[in-house]
Amino acid sequence: MTEKFICPYCERLLTEKHYCVSCKKDFSIEAAHTNEGTLPDYQIAQQDYIDNVCFHLLKEFIPTSNWDIRQIGTIRDALINVLIKFHGKKEYDLYPWLLEPEDTISM
Ligand SMILES: [Zn+2]
């Protein structure tokens, strides 16, 4: 059986071939990885990129600081908020997540 997913940009239902009609974007690679519970390499690299930027920012102020995902996550949330709110960036492009199945749509 083919699971149907929600578009991470517009939250509309993707087609059975994992295509978003309104965004005109194909999510078949992302859907195949979601079925295996993982992100594609390019999205893992994007997450690492953001986390590394946040870690380096922290190190600007606290050079001795260690990798701590709570601190990095706090900086990341603030950074992503600014990029979305003031620069029109998309959260999914900045810090992608697994596709959400159809049944998580709230009625
Ligand atoms: Zn869409």
Side-chain angles (χ1 to χ4, degrees):
M1 83 175 212
T2 310
E3 183 120 56
K4 281 196 162 190
F5 296 108
I6 301 165
C7 175
Y9 295 105
C10 69
E11 298 188 334
R12 291 192 174 92
L13 197 58
L14 301 179
T15 68
E16 297 207 348
K17 297 200 165 149
H18 311 301
Y19 184 79
C20 178
V21 176
S22 61
C23 296
K24 297 183 170 50
K25 187 168 163 46
D26 175 66
F27 291 96
S28 54
I29 293 170
E30 291 79 2
H33 282 77
T34 291
N35 284 330
E36 293 176 6
T38 181
L39 293 172
D41 286 348
Y42 85 95
Q43 290 186 322
I44 292 172
Q46 174 62 25
Q47 288 189 342
D48 288 347
Y49 170 70
I50 291 275
D51 286 341
N52 277 312
V53 166
C54 294
F55 185 47
H56 284 116
L57 180 61
L58 177 62
K59 284 209 156 244
E60 287 286 317
F61 297 91
I62 316 289
T64 57
S65 63
N66 292 315
W67 183 275
D68 176 0
I69 201 60
R70 287 173 306 164
Q71 296 175 46
I72 291 165
T74 303
I75 296 167
R76 182 212 300 146
D77 289 346
L79 174 65
I80 288 175
N81 275 338
V82 168
L83 293 173
I84 292 170
K85 187 170 178 184
F86 298 99
H87 301 281
K89 300 287 186 184
K90 304 283 191 194
E91 185 173 8
Y92 186 72
D93 292 333
L94 296 167
Y95 209 81
W97 54 84
L98 295 178
L99 294 179
E100 293 175 63
E102 171 179 17
D103 57 22
T104 58
I105 295 178
S106 52
M107 292 296 149

